[in-house]
Amino acid sequence: MNDKLKKLIDEYDNILIGAGAGLSIASGFEYGGKTFIDNFKYMHDRYGYTDMYTAGFHNFKNSEEKWTYWSKMIYLNRYSDSEKALYKRLYNLIKDKNYFVITTNVDHQFQKNGFDKERLFYMQGDYGLFQCSTPCHNKTYDNFDIIKKMISIIDCNHKIPSDLIPKCPICHKEMTTNLRCDNKFVEDEGWHLAKKRYDEYINLYKNQKILLLELGVGYSTPIWIKYPFINMTIDNKQAKYIVIDNGYVYIPDEIKNQTIIMNENINNVI
């Protein structure tokens, strides 16, 4: 099956990649287990949490405690690792192709591992950006410097100094991370430019020979990648749809002859 995938990648010039959380998990990101205990043992001991995702929804007592947690979580998942071997191998497979990537991941791994930022659409946001929590305006702000400063001076009670709590430069209310989790998500100028490039790519190749490569996309938010990929395949008889995911996958009968399902670990396949 891997040989068939390689042959298809060689055959198709246009490749649209849709990536979900399963890709980053396969690359080695671990939100629970040893990584969580090594970095957030206090969250386990105090509140019983066992993974970073669930702990992020904790009702923190104050902003100092909240940003202690979030600064370290952001640093670990956005800034600490410069490269992931799986992403690098994927890039090497398609780097000479006319590719585009849409992803619900917010860890920025595509850009870190060589993918052209002009061919990326991070439609769910970016751990590396802050926005106003209100929001009072549609702009985002790079957070590397403040995150690095926060994690450098966390005290023994797992709190940061109050003066490091990020505040909106316009309304002075507290900032938040630019993640799509409610109706306050800021779609800034960069987001809209990326969406425009994505829409242009789809419109240009919607009736041409194209390979739709779906990697680790589950059913928590299928409206962003999975359902559009299925509909694109239905509408375009020249499209080939490949799903690589270690889990349940449903494919409509009308595109089964255009679809290859690889129910395997993405890391092993790539």
Side-chain angles (χ1 to χ4, degrees):
M1 185 65 81
N2 289 13
D3 290 340
K4 189 172 185 179
L5 173 62
K6 182 63 168 62
K7 184 178 179 181
L8 282 169
I9 290 175
D10 289 341
E11 178 184 344
Y12 281 74
D13 292 326
N14 308 313
I15 299 179
L16 178 59
I17 296 174
L23 178 62
S24 281
I25 291 170
S27 76
F29 274 99
E30 182 185 51
Y31 272 54
K34 186 176 184 299
T35 300
F36 183 77
I37 297 301
D38 285 350
N39 293 280
F40 301 104
K41 186 175 184 299
Y42 75 98
M43 290 293 287
H44 174 271
D45 294 346
R46 288 181 185 179
Y47 309 114
Y49 292 110
T50 57
D51 69 273
M52 283 184 261
Y53 179 78
T54 307
F57 290 97
H58 178 71
N59 185 20
F60 293 97
K61 296 175 182 176
N62 51 59
S63 295
E64 290 83 357
E65 184 183 15
K66 181 184 80 172
W67 283 109
T68 295
Y69 174 80
W70 272 94
S71 63
K72 198 165 188 180
M73 202 269 268
I74 290 169
Y75 185 80
L76 285 170
N77 294 293
R78 175 64 168 80
Y79 296 120
S80 61
D81 291 320
S82 59
E83 292 186 356
K84 291 288 185 184
L86 172 55
Y87 279 89
K88 184 63 71 175
R89 290 198 300 272
L90 178 62
Y91 172 70
N92 287 333
L93 275 176
I94 58 89
K95 65 182 179 181
D96 297 324
K97 301 292 183 175
N98 177 33
Y99 69 86
F100 203 96
V101 177
I102 177 173
T103 181
T104 54
N105 296 342
V106 294
D107 50 33
H108 220 58
Q109 285 300 314
F110 283 102
Q111 197 164 325
K112 285 184 177 181
N113 288 279
F115 288 78
D116 181 355
K117 68 178 182 179
E118 300 294 309
R119 301 184 184 196
L120 300 174
F121 180 27
Y122 293 99
M123 48 78 50
Q124 296 280 55
D126 183 349
Y127 277 142
L129 298 174
F130 281 160
Q131 64 167 73
C132 176
S133 59
T134 304
C136 70
H137 64 299
N138 287 336
K139 187 176 179 181
T140 59
Y141 301 86
D142 183 89
N143 63 23
F144 175 72
D145 290 337
I146 185 64
I147 290 295
K148 192 173 180 182
K149 191 169 184 179
M150 285 182 189
I151 65 170
S152 71
I153 55 175
I154 294 171
D155 68 21
C156 60
N157 293 315
H158 304 287
K159 290 183 180 180
I160 63 163
S162 299
D163 60 359
L164 286 185
I165 295 170
K167 298 293 179 67
C168 173
I170 307 299
C171 71
H172 306 296
K173 291 186 178 179
E174 193 167 320
M175 302 277 265
T176 190
T177 312
N178 181 233
L179 304 176
R180 188 187 297 277
C181 56
D182 55 29
N183 61 1
K184 296 181 179 180
F185 175 70
V186 166
E187 297 174 354
D188 65 2
E189 182 182 5
W191 189 96
H192 284 285
L193 285 172
K195 185 180 187 302
K196 182 173 182 280
R197 289 190 289 264
Y198 173 65
D199 290 341
E200 288 172 347
Y201 184 93
I202 290 175
N203 288 330
L204 188 59
Y205 301 107
K206 64 183 179 182
N207 295 316
Q208 298 188 37
K209 188 175 179 180
I210 187 170
L211 181 66
L212 307 177
L213 182 58
E214 182 183 295
L215 304 171
V217 176
Y219 287 89
S220 58
T221 54
I223 61 171
W224 301 116
I225 296 173
K226 186 172 290 293
Y227 292 166
F229 274 36
I230 288 173
N231 288 331
M232 279 187 267
T233 307
I234 291 173
D235 293 338
N236 181 4
K237 297 307 176 186
Q238 296 190 76
K240 182 70 78 172
Y241 179 31
I242 298 179
V243 182
I244 309 177
D245 195 11
N246 207 358
Y248 168 78
V249 176
Y250 166 75
I251 298 297
D253 289 340
E254 57 261 51
I255 60 168
K256 284 189 174 177
N257 65 338
Q258 294 172 259
T259 304
I260 296 173
I261 299 173
M262 304 182 71
N263 196 344
E264 301 179 47
N265 182 287
I266 300 170
N267 190 47
N268 295 340
V269 174
I270 300 298

